[in-house]
Amino acid sequence: MNTRWISENWDQIWQLTSHHAVLGVTPVLLSLLLSVPLGWWAHRARTARRILVPGASILYALPSLPLFVVLPLILGTKILDPINVVVALTLYGIALLVRTATDAFDSVGRSVRRDAVAIGHSDSQVFWRVALPLAVPALVAGMRVVSASTLSLVSVGALVGVPSLGYFFTDGYQRSFPTEIWVGIIGTLVLAIIFDLVIVCVGRLLTPWRRAATI
């Protein structure tokens, strides 16, 4: 490990790490916001479940690099626009989270929902006050998987010129310079750990009854 190179190029490392983090957090949040209502819909409608759950599995099977290249043709963007990576990774996040969200809502017992309706809750209140809070632990578990997957896939964007820690993989390989490759690997791992800790902490804040049960 060439520590001198790291110190001399710290500004670039920090800049690409920041780009990587932004490109990672945006699709993670978007996939959550889109997958929760889709999962709720699949949970409540058999036809939606038959389409969305298998469709999500097929979507995740799409190779990432060709998708990054094809999306500019579909969106009318330039190939170097970061929006292409964000859209692609959001699709992958949705592909992972739709099934998780569906299963999470399935895990909320019908008797619990019936009890909520019996005391006067509307359908929207059942969702916001009962189903969604009880589904949080399963959603958090799914988000942790999506977070790790997204951060690793962000690096692929470097192959089409989108700045991220993936630049160190490609440049280090071309120059036969292991230090760059290690910087990319370690930087990605550190971001993955930070993202995971944030998701776990948010999950604990949103489920105070679970903390109380462990006391």
Side-chain angles (χ1 to χ4, degrees):
M1 182 75 73
N2 189 331
T3 55
R4 180 178 178 182
W5 180 89
I6 294 174
S7 61
E8 291 176 349
N9 292 272
W10 182 252
D11 288 342
Q12 183 188 27
I13 295 171
W14 176 251
Q15 184 180 31
L16 290 177
T17 302
S18 301
H19 280 298
H20 200 108
V22 172
L23 287 174
V25 71
T26 305
V28 168
L29 293 177
L30 287 175
S31 61
L32 175 64
L33 292 175
L34 294 171
S35 296
V36 168
L38 289 175
W40 179 247
W41 184 26
H43 161 71
R44 291 174 62 88
R46 291 183 180 179
T47 302
R49 178 190 290 267
R50 291 170 182 167
I51 295 173
L52 290 174
V53 175
S57 300
I58 294 172
L59 181 62
Y60 193 74
L62 294 175
S64 56
L65 185 56
L67 186 59
F68 290 158
V69 175
V70 170
L71 274 176
L73 302 177
I74 299 173
L75 301 175
T77 56
K78 297 179 180 179
I79 195 166
L80 296 181
D81 285 347
I83 188 67
N84 301 319
V85 175
V86 171
V87 171
L89 297 184
T90 300
L91 291 176
Y92 285 127
I94 292 172
L96 287 172
L97 271 181
V98 163
R99 179 184 290 275
T100 299
T102 304
D103 292 341
F105 290 125
D106 287 345
S107 68
V108 179
R110 292 184 179 179
S111 60
V112 175
R113 295 196 297 273
R114 284 198 299 266
D115 291 344
V117 172
I119 62 175
H121 283 64
S122 64
D123 286 343
S124 62
Q125 289 174 325
V126 169
F127 173 77
W128 289 107
R129 298 182 181 180
V130 180
L132 184 57
L134 292 178
V136 165
L139 289 173
V140 166
M143 285 290 292
R144 296 176 73 181
V145 175
V146 170
S147 173
S149 173
T150 298
L151 286 170
S152 65
L153 287 173
V154 167
S155 300
V156 181
L159 295 175
V160 293
V162 177
S164 71
L165 288 170
Y167 166 81
F168 294 125
F169 299 150
T170 57
D171 193 62
Y173 177 77
Q174 291 170 355
R175 298 171 55 198
S176 297
F177 188 40
T179 294
E180 272 194 282
I181 299 173
W182 278 111
V183 166
I185 293 173
I186 294 172
T188 303
L189 286 175
V190 169
L191 284 179
I193 292 171
I194 293 172
F195 274 44
D196 189 70
L197 289 174
V198 170
I199 292 170
V200 170
C201 289
V202 171
R204 289 179 178 176
L205 289 174
L206 293 176
T207 55
W209 62 88
R210 290 170 63 87
R211 298 201 308 274
T214 59
I215 297 176

